[in-house]
C-alpha cells in the first residue's frame, strides 16, 4: 500500500515542473503544455484524496477539471494560431501588443 | 503496488522534465504523452478505473492530437523560440527561486493534509464506470450540465476567433 504522502510529493514536483515550464519556456505551445502538466498534477491529487477518503467527489471533480482543461486548450490554441498569423516567429517574452 | 507506483512516478517525472528540456515542441508533445500515460497507470493504482480510461482517451488522445495539428500547421519549419536572444534577463534564477518557494508551500500544505485518518478499503466497484456514472449523473448533475455549457462557449469562442475570413 503506497502512502498518500508519496502521491502528494509526486503531484507537488509535477506542479513545480509545470510552473517552471510556464516561467521559462518562450514558445507559447510549450507553455500551454506546461499548464496541462499543472492541471494533471492537481487531478492526481484529487484522485488520490478521493481514494483516501473513499468518496467519489474527488474523481468527479477531476473529471470536471479535465473538461475545463480541454476548453482551455481549445481557446489557447486558437489564440496561438491568431498570434502566429500576425507574426513570423513567436516568443512569449516578445509579445506585448496588449500592454498599454 | 509500491513497484508500480515507483516506476510510474519516475516515468511521469521523466516526461515532465522532457517537456521542459525539449528543443522542438514536437518532442515536448511526445514527452507529455509519456507523462500522461504514467498518470493513467497511477489513477489505476488509486482505484480510478474510469479516470484512467478518460485520461488516455481525452488527454493522451484528443488534446495531444490537437497540439500536434497546431504544431504541424504553424511551427514545423520554424526555429524554436529559444534560439533568439533573451528579451527578459535573469528569468532562470528568478523562476528557480519562485518555484522553490512554491514547492515548499505546496509540500507543507499537502503533506499536512495527507495524514488525516484514512478509509483503508474502498467499497467494491469504487471508481468503476457504474459507480462513477451514478455519482456524476445523479449527485453532481448540475456541475455536469454546467460543463456542457462551458464546452459550448469554448467552441463558439474558437469559431469566432479563428473562423473569420477577412478579419
Amino acid at each position: 500500500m503506497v502512502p498518500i504522502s508519496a502521491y502528494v510529493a509526486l503531484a507537488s514536483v509535477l506542479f513545480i515542473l509545470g510552473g517552471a515550464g510556464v516561467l521559462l519556456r518562450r514558445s507559447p505551445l510549450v507553455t500551454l503544455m506546461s499548464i496541462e502538466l499543472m492541471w494533471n498534477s492537481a487531478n492526481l491529487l484529487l484522485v488520490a484524496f478521493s481514494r483516501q477518503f473513499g468518496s467519489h467527489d474527488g474523481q468527479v471533480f477531476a473529471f470536471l477539471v479535465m473538461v475545463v482543461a480541454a476548453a482551455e486548450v481549445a481557446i489557447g490554441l486558437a489564440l496561438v494560431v491568431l498570434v502566429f498569423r500576425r507574426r513570423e516567429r513567436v516568443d512569449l517574452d516578445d509579445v506585448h501588443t496588449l500592454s498599454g | 503496488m509500491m513497484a508500480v507506483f515507483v516506476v510510474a512516478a519516475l516515468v511521469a517525472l521523466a516526461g515532465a522534465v522532457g517537456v521542459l528540456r525539449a528543443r522542438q515542441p514536437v518532442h515536448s508533445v511526445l514527452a507529455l504523452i509519456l507523462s500522461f500515460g504514467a498518470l493513467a497507470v497511477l489513477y489505476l493504482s488509486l482505484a480510478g478505473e474510469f479516470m484512467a480510461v478518460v485520461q488516455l482517451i481525452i488527454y493522451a488522445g484528443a488534446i495531444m492530437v490537437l497540439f500536434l495539428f497546431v504544431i504541424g500547421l504553424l511551427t514545423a519549419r520554424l526555429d524554436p523560440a529559444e534560439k533568439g536572444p533573451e528579451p527578459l534577463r535573469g528569468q532562470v534564477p528568478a523562476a528557480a527561486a519562485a518555484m522553490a518557494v512554491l514547492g515548499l508551500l505546496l509540500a507543507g500544505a499537502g503533506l499536512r493534509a495527507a495524514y488525516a485518518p484514512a478509509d483503508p478499503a474502498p467499497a467494491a466497484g469504487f471508481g468503476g464506470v457504474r459507480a462513477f456514472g451514478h455519482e456524476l449523473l445523479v449527485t453532481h448533475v448540475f456541475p455536469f450540465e454546467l460543463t456542457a455549457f462551458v464546452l459550448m462557449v469554448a467552441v463558439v469562442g474558437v469559431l469566432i476567433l479563428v473562423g473569420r475570413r477577412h478579419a
Side-chain angles (χ1 to χ4, degrees), chain B residues 135-150:
Chain B
E135 195 76 11
L136 184 63
L137 293 175
V138 176
T139 315
H140 299 284
V141 69
F142 183 62
F144 177 73
E145 297 287 344
L146 269 186
T147 56
F149 184 69
V150 168

Side-chain angles (χ1 to χ4, degrees), chain A residues 7 15 25-26 29 34 36 38 55 57 69 75 78 82-83 97:
Chain A
Y7 288 99
F15 193 90
R25 294 303 300 262
R26 284 144 60 198
L29 290 164
S34 303
E36 291 303 310
M38 293 159 87
S55 151
D57 293 356
I75 297 280
L82 284 183
V83 175
T97 319

Side-chain angles (χ1 to χ4, degrees), chain B residues 52-109:
Chain B
V53 173
V54 167
Q55 169 87 3
L56 283 182
I57 293 176
I58 296 187
Y59 264 123
I63 293 184
M64 289 298 106
V65 167
L66 201 60
F67 268 105
L68 282 180
F69 265 118
V70 173
I71 288 171
L73 196 66
L74 298 173
T75 66
R77 282 180 295 156
L78 294 179
D79 279 340
E82 277 79 4
K83 277 184 90 173
E86 197 171 285
L88 300 177
R89 302 250 162 259
Q91 45 182 333
V92 175
M99 285 301 119
V101 172
L102 183 61
L104 286 178
L105 288 176
L106 278 182

Side-chain angles (χ1 to χ4, degrees), chain B:
Chain B
M1 208 55 153
M2 197 67 191
V4 173
F5 173 81
V6 170
V7 172
L10 286 180
V11 172
L13 288 177
V17 173
V19 173
L20 256 85
R21 296 201 49 99
R23 308 288 307 169
Q24 301 284 346
V26 182
H27 298 158
S28 289
V29 169
L30 295 179
L32 197 55
I33 290 177
L34 190 71
S35 196
F36 286 170
L39 280 175
V41 174
L42 287 175
Y43 291 165
L44 274 182
S45 80
L46 285 167
E49 295 165 27
F50 183 74
M51 289 304 296
V53 173
V54 167
Q55 169 87 3
L56 283 182
I57 293 176
I58 296 187
Y59 264 123
I63 293 184
M64 289 298 106
V65 167
L66 201 60
F67 268 105
L68 282 180
F69 265 118
V70 173
I71 288 171
L73 196 66
L74 298 173
T75 66
R77 282 180 295 156
L78 294 179
D79 279 340
E82 277 79 4
K83 277 184 90 173
E86 197 171 285
L88 300 177
R89 302 250 162 259
Q91 45 182 333
V92 175
M99 285 301 119
V101 172
L102 183 61
L104 286 178
L105 288 176
L106 278 182
L111 290 179
R112 207 175 49 189
Y115 290 111
D119 180 8
F126 180 82
V129 179
R130 173 182 287 269
F132 186 90
H134 184 270
E135 195 76 11
L136 184 63
L137 293 175
V138 176
T139 315
H140 299 284
V141 69
F142 183 62
F144 177 73
E145 297 287 344
L146 269 186
T147 56
F149 184 69
V150 168
L151 277 180
M152 191 193 68
V153 169
V155 169
V156 171
V158 169
L159 283 179
I160 290 174
L161 278 176
V162 191
R164 273 184 302 192
R165 282 291 168 266
H166 305 287

Side-chain angles (χ1 to χ4, degrees), chain A residues 16-38:
Chain A
I16 297 300
L17 286 173
V22 171
L23 290 180
L24 289 178
R25 294 303 300 262
R26 284 144 60 198
S27 155
L29 290 164
V30 181
T31 300
L32 273 178
M33 285 182 235
S34 303
I35 295 174
E36 291 303 310
L37 212 51
M38 293 159 87

